Amino acid sequence: MAQPDNKKFFESLSGAGKAIAVLTSGGDAQGMNAAVRAVVRMGIYVGAKVYFIHEGYQGMVDGGDNIKEATWESVSSMLQVGGTVIGSARCKEFRAHEGRLKAAHNLVQRGITNLCVIGGDGSLTGANLFREEWSGLLAELVQQGLIDEEASQKYSALHIVGMVGSIDNDFCGTDMTIGTDSALHRIIEVVDAIMTTAQSHQRTFVLEVMGRHCGYLALVSALACGADWVLIPEMPPEDGWEEKMCQKLSAKRAGKKRLNIIIVAEGAIDHNNKPITTSYIQDLVVSRLGFDTRVTILGHVQRGGTPSAFDRILASRMGVEAVLALLETTANTPACVVSLCGNQSVRLPLMECVQMTQEVQKAMDEGRFEEAVKLRGRSFENNLKTYKLLAHRKPESELPHSNFNVAVLNVGAPAAGMNAAVRSAVRVGISEGHKMFAVSDGFEGFHKGQIKEIKWADVGGWTGQGGSLLGTKRTLPAKHMGKIAEQMRKYNINALLLVGGFEAYLGLMELLEARGKYDEFCVPMVMVPSTVSNNVPGSDLSIGADTALNAITDVSRGWLTCDRIKQSASGTKRRVFIIETMGGYCGYLASVGGLAAGADAAYIYEEPFDIRDLQANVEHLTQKMKTSIQRGLVLRNENCNENYTTDFIYQLYSEEGRGVFDCRKNVLGHMQQGGAPSPFDRNFGTKIAAKAMQWISKKLAETYRQGRVFANTEDSACLLGMRRRALIFQPVVQLKAETDFVHRIPKEQWWLKLRPLMKILAKYRTSYDVSDSGQLEHVVHNRPKESDASAI
């Protein structure tokens, strides 16, 4: 498991003699501490001096103890803490020239010429202005006798790299900003809690969420909970919206639905630029419908709490990338911001992103709302399209009539987010004019004829439900192919949508092979990956994996998992926890969960290890325990090694750590599959299933000839998966070469490149592949034309 030092890496990216300072500015956001931790540890790892700047720009202006050198230990236990430990403050002084002059003097005194700024567009714009003025500021300091000419020459260039920390996700150029996913967790936790009381009393709830200038949180939370109505600043409702909204609420109540949810962004406006307030909506519903209506304003609750697994991983990856960007920068390199595009880190010119963000606001101020939506980016635009498609059902008279029957089934183990995918598929299918059929209990239910038509209202409220409401089994179709073909004939099924894991992948291959014997399978078939193990070839991410990661890091659950374990250990002296995760032979949960939870080691099948590696890990942890840390965390994938079991590793660590630390073990088991899906999985499931259904509609139109559907080409049986930056339909036949069928994993797995990050942040000396690090791109070109990669 131990890897040799990569000399080339250290020679080309040595930080020796360099000083990096990190600050957080503007509003706080969950995950900022994870970013600070990553910057500090990666900076120290490459030999740079790293400094904290406390209280943002105010601390830079004030200097003194506000600028302190960071140590490895000074960022311990920060990963799971919300807010920002180094503080953030608004600073009027920095906006003035004199304030920036003081800040420059304070930095030069410490030899700092590399700044990592974590904040919003205002904070990053200020940093760029500071960089542009830097040479002039140094000249003034020389003139005033505060620094000498030698210092001016030595520190002649200031380098800036930004990371966006903002729960609003209002910065153009990145799919997600640090803190957004955690804020969505807080919102959905409240919505899920409200739903139970609302149903008990037949109430309507109006929720106000943050977003003064951006409706992202409102829009995505509405998608994630299936809200009846959403109001956002980028999409002012048409005149007469009040009547339409009341009609929809009334129709739902008449359909025996006991609750209504309306989500309002704090910056929601109408077409006349007049604010739409929660009190106005409450009065409207009460006066027109007489419904018991309550208002909940979430406020700063959305900024609070521990960061989600997504934000910890995102912030850690961005922090490491920011240090690499600072090490590679030259005097001519523009200030950049580290961004997320699909599943990749990219570097974009900071001011291009800021200018596009400002263009969005300008378009909204001038009433060009459609343009504003497009400028927000493809992710925002697709979220809005999907919400409109799923939330507002057209009258029967306006629906197209395709005369096609489409069946949807879940295959394999249950995964949180499956129900959101089924709901989305059913409603999009109905909107496209198809008759939708639900198959219970996977292929086992299929051959038994457990098939029934499923309608729009039947999937109401499914988005937030865990498990599989359709029922799911691991049964493969091969043994029952004749019976399944018979059911396909009986119900005249013209297309199939499979939602599931590796069994769904194998099942789709078996159906494809059966086309030679049964014409009934010569129909469009598509699979959407859904498994906590994230082991399906052809997709970097699967529905359900994010929820499982959150179970491991204890963000959304009240179970005894990593963070709670760490908290219990904080009151004891030196304890190591050995945690077994699920995943079969796939080490995704152990590895990425280890990065999110700050693990000291993670044992997986894909990276073979022996007793020498185990011993080295124990010695490494023992040394750390003696000098600084009070607790340790070791993750083990359930099938990483048949001999080095969880019990064996527990006993080894217990024996070798005797006198230094004691051990506890925990097998997380099926709790990783259960519970309510995370906002990420709800939205990912919703969007990917909608895209799959639109593909089915297209294929049905293409393959309908002479009164029947006949599809017998490779590209009519596909898996829809995220590959790097885009969602791509891939013929399953072509994925065979990428598959290790014995161990049920892809032969190449992107997340293995993240494992060195976990080791580096745990103080191991290891090689790190920089070939996949971000390259400077332009914001207008940072997404492929057909990309719809963002999951949220």
Side-chain angles (χ1 to χ4, degrees):
M1 208 162 136
Q3 295 183 27
D5 288 349
N6 186 334
K7 291 181 181 178
K8 189 176 180 182
F9 169 74
F10 287 110
E11 288 169 5
S12 63
L13 288 175
S14 174
K18 293 197 175 186
I20 298 170
V22 58
L23 70 146
T24 54
S25 178
D28 63 303
Q30 307 98 317
M32 279 184 165
N33 289 323
V36 170
R37 171 180 177 267
V39 170
V40 169
R41 292 195 167 177
M42 188 64 180
I44 293 172
Y45 180 81
V46 296
K49 270 190 175 183
V50 186
Y51 291 84
F52 291 137
I53 300 180
H54 291 273
E55 310 306 332
Y57 287 117
Q58 189 66 56
M60 194 190 297
V61 172
D62 294 342
D65 287 343
N66 289 302
I67 305 176
K68 288 183 179 177
E69 187 173 352
T71 64
W72 194 277
E73 291 74 24
S74 62
V75 292
S76 294
S77 303
M78 280 177 64
L79 189 60
Q80 68 271 20
V81 179
T84 166
V85 169
I86 61 174
S88 180
R90 310 286 180 187
C91 182
K92 287 184 179 179
E93 283 184 81
F94 190 76
R95 295 176 187 172
H97 181 80
E98 277 304 311
R100 294 193 289 276
L101 189 65
K102 287 181 184 177
H105 185 216
N106 288 326
L107 294 186
V108 170
Q109 282 183 312
R110 293 163 178 81
I112 298 169
T113 56
N114 296 281
L115 273 185
C116 184
V117 181
I118 308 167
D121 62 333
S123 303
L124 298 178
T125 302
N128 190 65
L129 176 62
F130 191 39
R131 184 186 72 89
E132 290 175 346
E133 290 183 347
W134 183 256
S135 58
L137 293 171
L138 294 195
E140 282 187 58
L141 291 172
V142 171
Q143 193 175 24
Q144 293 176 17
L146 295 172
I147 64 171
D148 57 29
E149 190 64 41
E150 184 183 348
S152 176
Q153 293 296 320
K154 186 176 181 181
Y155 306 120
S156 59
L158 179 67
H159 307 298
I160 303 284
V161 172
M163 287 182 275
V164 189
S166 166
I167 68 167
D168 292 339
N169 203 33
D170 56 354
F171 192 82
C172 292
T174 185
D175 289 342
M176 288 287 279
T177 57
I178 296 168
T180 303
D181 187 68
S182 299
L184 286 170
H185 273 263
R186 301 295 91 79
I187 295 168
I188 295 305
E189 285 165 9
V190 171
V191 172
D192 286 350
I194 278 174
M195 281 184 167
T196 56
T197 184
Q199 286 178 325
S200 300
H201 297 278
Q202 284 195 313
R203 282 181 177 151
T204 296
F205 269 88
V206 184
L207 273 75
E208 181 184 288
V209 302
M210 283 186 166
R212 190 173 296 118
H213 304 294
C214 179
Y216 187 88
L217 288 179
L219 178 58
V220 174
S221 56
L223 258 179
C225 71
D228 300 293
W229 206 266
V230 65
L231 294 155
I232 60 174
E234 294 89 345
M235 186 187 68
E238 298 173 0
D239 292 338
W241 66 272
E242 295 95 338
E243 183 62 33
K244 289 180 181 177
M245 184 185 76
C246 288
Q247 284 176 359
K248 181 173 183 182
L249 299 180
S250 182
K252 279 200 74 175
R253 195 63 65 88
K256 306 299 182 186
K257 300 298 179 185
R258 297 179 61 84
L259 79 155
N260 304 112
I261 299 286
I262 301 166
I263 295 182
V264 187
E266 61 180 331
I269 53 173
D270 63 18
H271 266 288
N272 299 314
N273 218 29
K274 181 183 175 184
I276 300 174
T277 64
T278 52
S279 57
Y280 174 74
I281 296 170
Q282 181 184 32
D283 294 342
L284 180 72
V285 175
V286 170
S287 62
R288 295 202 185 184
L289 300 176
F291 291 172
D292 184 2
T293 305
R294 305 297 170 93
V295 170
T296 299
I297 298 175
L298 270 63
H300 283 75
V301 166
Q302 295 156 89
R303 290 193 187 278
T306 186
S308 67
F310 183 98
D311 272 329
R312 299 183 198 195
I313 297 160
L314 174 68
S316 297
R317 289 178 69 184
M318 282 188 169
V320 168
E321 187 69 34
V323 172
L324 294 177
L326 284 171
L327 295 181
E328 292 174 2
T329 194
T330 66
N332 298 320
T333 306
C336 76
V337 61
V338 178
S339 299
L340 179 74
C341 183
N343 201 30
Q344 276 194 297
S345 294
V346 296
R347 301 174 194 171
L348 301 171
L350 191 154
M351 290 314 295
E352 284 187 18
C353 297
V354 169
Q355 285 161 11
M356 185 166 280
T357 302
Q358 292 170 348
E359 283 178 31
V360 175
Q361 190 58 50
K362 184 180 178 183
M364 289 167 61
D365 291 341
E366 295 174 358
R368 295 179 282 116
F369 296 106
E370 287 187 11
E371 186 178 341
V373 168
K374 284 186 169 59
L375 288 169
R376 279 274 181 238
R378 199 170 288 272
S379 170
F380 188 94
E381 191 176 6
N382 285 330
N383 278 317
L384 186 54
K385 286 178 181 176
T386 306
Y387 177 79
K388 288 179 177 178
L389 201 59
L390 299 175
H392 304 296
R393 186 183 184 185
K394 293 179 182 177
E396 292 285 343
S397 58
E398 294 181 23
L399 288 174
H401 292 285
S402 68
N403 294 320
F404 293 127
N405 296 342
V406 180
V408 58
L409 64 158
N410 293 338
V411 182
M418 273 184 164
N419 296 321
V422 172
R423 169 187 176 267
S424 175
V426 167
R427 291 196 169 180
V428 172
I430 291 170
S431 295
E432 307 243 321
H434 310 318
K435 188 179 283 189
M436 299 299 298
F437 287 85
V439 181
S440 299
D441 296 333
F443 288 115
E444 191 169 310
F446 210 148
H447 89 264
K448 292 178 180 177
Q450 295 171 208
I451 305 166
K452 65 177 182 180
E453 186 179 355
I454 187 166
K455 299 191 175 180
W456 187 281
D458 295 334
V459 292
W462 279 34
T463 311
Q465 298 291 314
S468 167
L469 292 173
L470 287 184
T472 183
K473 295 285 180 70
R474 295 179 182 272
T475 308
L476 293 175
K479 293 180 181 178
H480 311 288
M481 208 62 80
K483 288 279 189 183
I484 294 172
E486 187 181 313
Q487 298 297 339
M488 294 276 287
R489 274 195 310 275
K490 179 179 177 181
Y491 289 93
N492 189 28
I493 302 299
N494 306 118
L496 285 176
L497 172 62
L498 282 62
V499 181
F502 206 86
E503 287 85 2
Y505 172 65
L506 295 175
L508 184 54
M509 285 188 169
E510 289 180 2
L511 294 177
L512 182 62
E513 289 171 7
R515 280 179 171 177
K517 188 174 181 181
Y518 302 100
D519 282 354
E520 287 79 7
F521 301 120
C522 293
V523 296
M525 299 184 288
V526 64
M527 176 199 160
V528 169
S530 180
T531 168
V532 301
S533 300
N534 199 34
N535 63 331
V536 177
S539 190
D540 292 347
L541 293 174
S542 296
I543 301 165
D546 183 72
T547 304
L549 286 175
N550 279 295
I552 293 170
T553 52
D554 192 26
V555 173
S556 58
R557 307 282 175 89
W559 293 72
L560 186 66
T561 49
C562 294
D563 279 347
R564 297 214 167 194
I565 287 168
K566 281 192 169 185
Q567 289 163 17
S568 76
S570 63
T572 59
K573 285 195 174 181
R574 298 188 174 92
R575 178 166 290 172
V576 173
F577 287 90
I578 316 293
I579 310 295
E580 180 182 296
T581 68
M582 294 181 75
Y585 286 95
C586 181
Y588 176 82
L589 289 181
S591 297
V592 183
L595 181 61
D600 297 282
Y603 300 111
I604 63 170
Y605 165 78
E606 293 92 340
E607 195 173 284
F609 59 96
D610 58 26
I611 194 67
R612 291 179 293 276
D613 297 313
L614 289 168
Q615 183 64 32
N617 294 148
V618 173
E619 290 173 359
H620 179 84
L621 194 51
T622 302
Q623 191 60 37
K624 284 173 68 177
M625 287 281 188
K626 286 179 178 177
T627 56
S628 57
I629 66 168
Q630 295 292 307
R631 54 195 181 273
L633 178 64
V634 174
L635 299 182
R636 178 191 176 274
N637 166 250
E638 59 184 346
N639 287 346
C640 65
N641 188 292
E642 62 180 341
N643 295 313
Y644 301 135
T645 63
T646 301
D647 284 336
F648 178 91
I649 292 174
Y650 164 71
Q651 289 166 7
L652 176 69
Y653 272 75
S654 296
E655 180 61 32
E656 296 299 315
R658 193 182 298 276
V660 180
F661 58 80
D662 64 359
C663 288
R664 296 289 185 272
K665 65 177 177 178
N666 196 327
V667 178
L668 299 183
H670 285 78
M671 62 158 287
Q672 294 158 91
Q673 289 180 329
S678 68
F680 185 101
D681 279 329
R682 297 182 195 201
N683 199 24
F684 187 39
T686 296
K687 289 173 72 174
I688 196 170
K691 194 173 182 73
M693 276 306 306
Q694 289 167 336
W695 177 88
I696 282 176
S697 294
K698 181 183 174 186
K699 286 293 179 185
L700 284 169
E702 289 175 358
T703 57
Y704 183 72
R705 296 287 184 274
Q706 298 176 340
R708 63 166 293 191
V709 173
F710 188 82
N712 199 22
T713 55
E714 285 186 0
D715 66 354
S716 63
C718 286
L719 180 145
L720 173 57
M722 180 190 281
R723 301 299 290 260
R724 295 169 72 85
R725 300 192 189 188
L727 285 172
I728 300 172
F729 291 95
Q730 303 146 100
V732 287
V733 169
Q734 295 177 14
L735 294 175
K736 282 185 177 181
E738 299 180 24
T739 308
D740 175 351
F741 286 98
V742 174
H743 298 100
R744 298 159 62 88
I745 55 174
K747 289 179 180 177
E748 292 187 11
Q749 304 191 78
W750 68 274
W751 51 264
L752 286 170
K753 290 185 177 180
L754 298 183
R755 282 184 61 79
L757 298 189
M758 186 197 73
K759 295 176 185 177
I760 288 169
L761 298 178
K763 214 172 184 177
Y764 284 90
R765 302 300 284 182
T766 184
S767 62
Y768 180 59
D769 182 5
V770 296
S771 64
D772 204 37
S773 63
Q775 302 300 317
L776 193 65
E777 304 178 16
H778 291 287
V779 66
V780 291
H781 301 305
N782 72 320
R783 289 179 180 82
K785 189 174 180 182
E786 295 302 318
S787 172
D788 177 15
S790 177
I792 291 194

